[in-house]
Structure formats: structure tokens, C-alpha cells
Amino acid sequence: WSRRAMATFPEARVGPGGPAPFGGVVVPPADVGATAEGVEKLEAKVRHHVEAKHLPGLQILCARSGKVFCHYSYGWADEARQLALDQTAICRMYSTTKPIVYSIAAALVHEGKMALDDPVSKHVPEWQDNLVRVCVDNNAETTEPANTPVTIRHLFTHTSGLDYGFWPDAMSPISRLIRKYNLDIPHSIEGDASAEHPPAGSLAEYVTRLVRDIPLAFQPGKRFQYGASTDVMGRVVECLTGKGLAEAVQDYITGPLNMQDTAFSIPAEKLGRFSTCSTVPGAGTVTVAKAGEGPDPSAGPGFVTAAPHIAAVDETTPWIAGGRLEKCPSAGGGLVSTLQDYAKFAEMLAANGEVDGKRILPAQAVEMMREEQLAIIGAERTNLAAFFQGVGLGVSVVTKSGVKGTYPGGATAGVGTGGWGGAAQTFYFADPKNHVTFVLMGQLLNYSASIPALRAEFSEMVYQCFPDIYQTGEGGGGEHAAGFTG
């Protein structure tokens, strides 16, 4: 790969013949039916966002049929340290941790170690059904018993009733309660100084306290609600494998895929490659505000917006070896990774569980993840699910091609395309029909509409590289889904 300074920003491009994370070497676009013009437009768009100071750095990787044809980074991993963003930069994955954990869970289903409609209590001793309570009329102090057990399928599809303390309404009674008890793992990765209780020291303790102290937001299976389901699934994985979550991730995914920089902690010798995470002042997971406050009165409850401005955020401590995330790994948001590492995982999903001829997961397990589930459950398509065509086992899925605004991937995305995103502008989609893989990585914590919708924009441009398959699509579908941050 090569690097050169452009204006005041460093650039790193792995060109044809350079090393690729899979498929041998990067190939010329024409080798996979892509146009050089399309790739040039993708790279120009990356430069545009960085030079406009929408975020300090951005990188993308595109592949088709197992061959990488675009591998590009621009901007800074940490400008203060003069650390350029390139394929070796270690980034916080936040919610793009979730598909990795869910893929392990899907493999465990395929292995017969659990069934989708098993109660969670069958596999997790800390989850006691008789202790589970449910909010009545959004009142965390008035509760009723659950009318059905929370199941493995509910955890896969975010229909369990488990909530987050910051999403979608950080001022709701249950969100306040979650923060009070310091049980909002993605929020408290940095530590919640306002909490009245210490953070959990293990996933087992986390689940014990969650069941005891926090009621479900609604009856299991009623609707989609983005929340702590994945963190409980992490404990399911621990119980069924007999290993800590970090070890299970290593055994099932990161070890076989040789994802050497993907983990819940960073050893001292790699900290020099750890990217700074930036934010827009007044926005992000640590901001609690009522709707109507802040520079943008139209902002949703829980978050405020601000004019784009780059400000460093020091979040290195939890990921240091021996830190909080090593003791209590967040299955919903605790991994760090690199562009080249995560691309291996995304390609594995696009290729039905196989990379470079090596079988990583059973094809049936990967295919099962792409099957739409909300109709089976009978759950309401609220919250983020309103933006997805379908919700599979741990990923959003495309159920009908040719629809404008489809998330993920746009109108050209084939049926079965799956994807997910993270809070710091990390995102992937894997299209098994068209054999297309795309990974985007930034490090900007932001929930503001003032930052362009990177995911939809780049997804559309990736497919525009392929004249043989590109289509603009008809109808509406999920144009607002581009703002989903995960």
C-alpha cells in the first residue's frame, strides 16, 4: 500500500497487486466488472467528507466475488499524534460487534446446542423467569409479570423488551433506571460517573443484576426495540461454550479468520495504532437531553445536535489489557478491529461462511441469519425496524430487491443482503446474490442529522461501480434508515 499527503490530510491506498485481507491481492476494478470511474468517485467522496470536516478520517473496502478492488483510507486516526488513518488503524466497532456475536450464536443453533424458541432461562442460570417484570404504560415503577418467557429468538431480533439507557429516549423512566444501576453497557463502556452503583464485573453479574433491577420495556415479542439483547446473548454464548465471551469469539471467528487486531482489549504494544474517537459537541452516547433542547429543536429525545466540529474524545482506558471490557466484554459494543480484519468477517458472511476456500461457519448457519424473523414473531415494526426491509438473526436483511432506499445496500442489493452499523460510523453489508462486500470505517460518535448519511450514500455508490447490475429502484423504502447509527 502507498501513502502520500494530499492538502493537509494523509492518504493510504492499496492499489492493484497490493496485499488484500482475502483473495490474495487487490485487483483492477475491471477484473470484477467494476469501472475505474466508479472507484474514483468512491475515493473522491471519502476525501470530500474528510476535507469538509464531517469527520477526521474515513476508510472503505469493496470486494466482489472474493476479490478486493477498492481499498482506500483518507485522513487522520489521531491528528494530535500525527497518526494517519490506514489499514492498520485500530478502531472501536461499537454495535458492529453485534453481528460477530450473533454469528457465533447462529452456529450454536446449527450445532443443536440451543433452539430459537428455547427460553433464555434454559441456558443461562442467572436469567430467572420468575423474576422478570415488565413495565406498565412505560412506567418503570409499575410492573407486571412477563406473559411469555424471553426466548433465544427474541434476543436475536431485539424483541425481548430489553432496552438501552440512551436509545430511543434517554429521558424515559426505564432509561433513567438503567443508568442509575449502571447497566447500560454500551453507555458505560467509558464508565458512568452519575450511576449509583458500580458497573458489572462480568457478564454473569450483568445478567443477574439486569433481571433483578431492570424491568422489560414491553412484553416479550411485542415489538422491535434496539437494546441490550446482544449483551444477554453474549452470556448465552458463554454458558453454551463453557468459555468466556472473548475466548469464544477467538475460537469461532477471529482465530479462524486470522483477525489479529480484533478483541475486547488492546495490548500495550498495539496502543500506538489505536484511533482517537471524535464527537460533535452536544451529541453522542454520553449526552442526555430533552427533545427541543440544543441547537436543533427538531432533534429526537435523548440527543441534541450541533454544527460539525471535530473534538477528540479520550476513550482508551476501557480497552487497555486488564481494563473493564476485558473483565465484562460488551457483546453489543465492545470489540475493536481494523478495516482489513472486519472485511474478512464481512466477506465470510457474503460467501456463506467461507473465505479463501476455508470453512469458518456452516453455510446453513449463515443462511439462517438472513431469514426475516419479525413476521414469525408477530412483532411490531417500530424503532429501527421501521427502516429495515427485514430483521434476521442479528442483522438487518433485504427481502425484496429493486426498492429505492433499501437498507442495507440500496435498490441493487440482492435478496438476502445483510448488514449492520456502529455508533462511531462503522458499517458493513454482505450481498450473497451479487457477491458484493462493503466495509466503511470512521471514528465519530454522532447522532446528529448535521452529519451526512454515509451509509446510504456509499452503498449506492458501490453498486454504481457495476454497470451489469446497478439499478436505481422504484418506490420508497427506508430513506431515513441512512441515519441509523447502531
Side-chain angles (χ1 to χ4, degrees), residues 109-428:
V109 172
H110 176 75
E111 293 168 10
K113 293 184 177 179
M114 64 179 176
L116 290 176
D117 294 317
D118 283 350
V120 174
S121 58
K122 179 178 179 179
H123 304 291
V124 179
E126 300 86 12
W127 190 276
Q128 300 179 44
D129 288 327
N130 64 311
L131 295 179
V132 176
R133 307 292 294 177
V134 182
C135 289
V136 174
D137 297 328
N138 199 35
N139 186 341
E141 296 181 0
T142 304
T143 63
E144 62 185 8
N147 57 24
T148 186
V150 174
T151 67
I152 298 300
R153 194 189 302 268
H154 291 147
L155 296 183
F156 265 118
T157 56
H158 295 280
T159 57
S160 64
L162 291 164
D163 208 344
Y164 273 155
F166 67 94
W167 178 281
D169 182 356
M171 299 305 292
S172 72
I174 193 168
S175 292
R176 292 174 183 266
L177 194 64
I178 291 169
R179 294 197 304 277
K180 173 183 175 179
Y181 282 96
N182 214 346
L183 289 170
D184 192 5
I185 283 187
H187 175 83
S188 61
I189 282 174
E190 296 80 37
D192 191 342
S194 66
E196 297 179 12
H197 300 267
S202 67
L203 276 178
E205 181 189 344
Y206 172 75
V207 173
T208 298
R209 290 169 51 183
L210 194 68
V211 174
R212 182 189 66 201
D213 298 328
I214 309 298
L216 301 180
F218 50 84
Q219 290 289 345
K222 181 179 180 180
R223 65 176 185 264
F224 181 105
Q225 171 67 58
Y226 202 47
S229 292
T230 320
D231 292 295
V232 176
M233 185 67 90
R235 179 59 182 154
V236 173
V237 169
E238 289 189 335
C239 292
L240 291 180
T241 62
K243 301 175 180 179
L245 181 60
E247 186 178 357
V249 168
Q250 169 73 20
D251 287 352
Y252 274 84
I253 303 296
T254 59
L257 282 171
N258 195 30
M259 296 168 65
Q260 297 182 8
D261 293 319
T262 303
F264 290 102
S265 62
I266 306 173
E269 64 270 19
K270 293 184 179 182
L271 283 174
R273 293 194 280 123
F274 194 23
S275 297
T276 293
C277 195
S278 301
T279 189
V280 169
T285 58
V286 296
T287 297
V288 178
K290 295 179 181 179
E293 291 184 351
D296 182 359
S298 67
F303 302 101
V304 295
T305 61
H309 173 73
I310 304 304
V313 175
D314 182 8
E315 292 178 342
T316 58
T317 306
W319 283 276
I320 290 177
R324 285 200 58 244
L325 284 170
E326 194 168 279
K327 299 171 184 175
C328 185
S330 172
L335 284 174
V336 294
S337 189
T338 62
L339 178 67
Q340 58 187 5
D341 267 11
Y342 206 86
K344 297 174 186 177
F345 172 72
E347 174 62 20
M348 182 270 294
L349 295 180
N352 293 322
E354 189 174 303
V355 176
D356 288 336
K358 181 180 180 180
R359 173 63 55 189
I360 307 298
L361 292 178
Q364 297 92 329
V366 178
E367 292 165 357
M368 181 172 58
M369 293 177 69
R370 306 182 190 125
E371 296 175 0
E372 211 285 323
Q373 298 290 319
L374 295 191
I376 296 173
I377 298 169
E380 299 171 14
R381 298 183 62 83
T382 55
N383 196 246
L384 297 174
F387 300 134
F388 304 151
Q389 278 194 354
V391 174
L393 298 182
V395 295
S396 60
V397 295
V398 173
T399 59
K400 181 181 179 182
S401 190
V403 180
K404 183 179 180 181
T406 293
Y407 183 94
T412 311
V415 171
T417 297
W420 207 255
Q425 312 310 321
T426 56
F427 168 70
Y428 89 94

Side-chain angles (χ1 to χ4, degrees), residues 82-99:
Q82 289 293 286
L83 179 64
L85 184 67
D86 60 31
Q87 61 179 350
T88 69
I90 297 174
C91 301
R92 301 154 189 78
M93 300 310 295
Y94 289 114
S95 283
T96 31
T97 300
K98 289 178 169 71

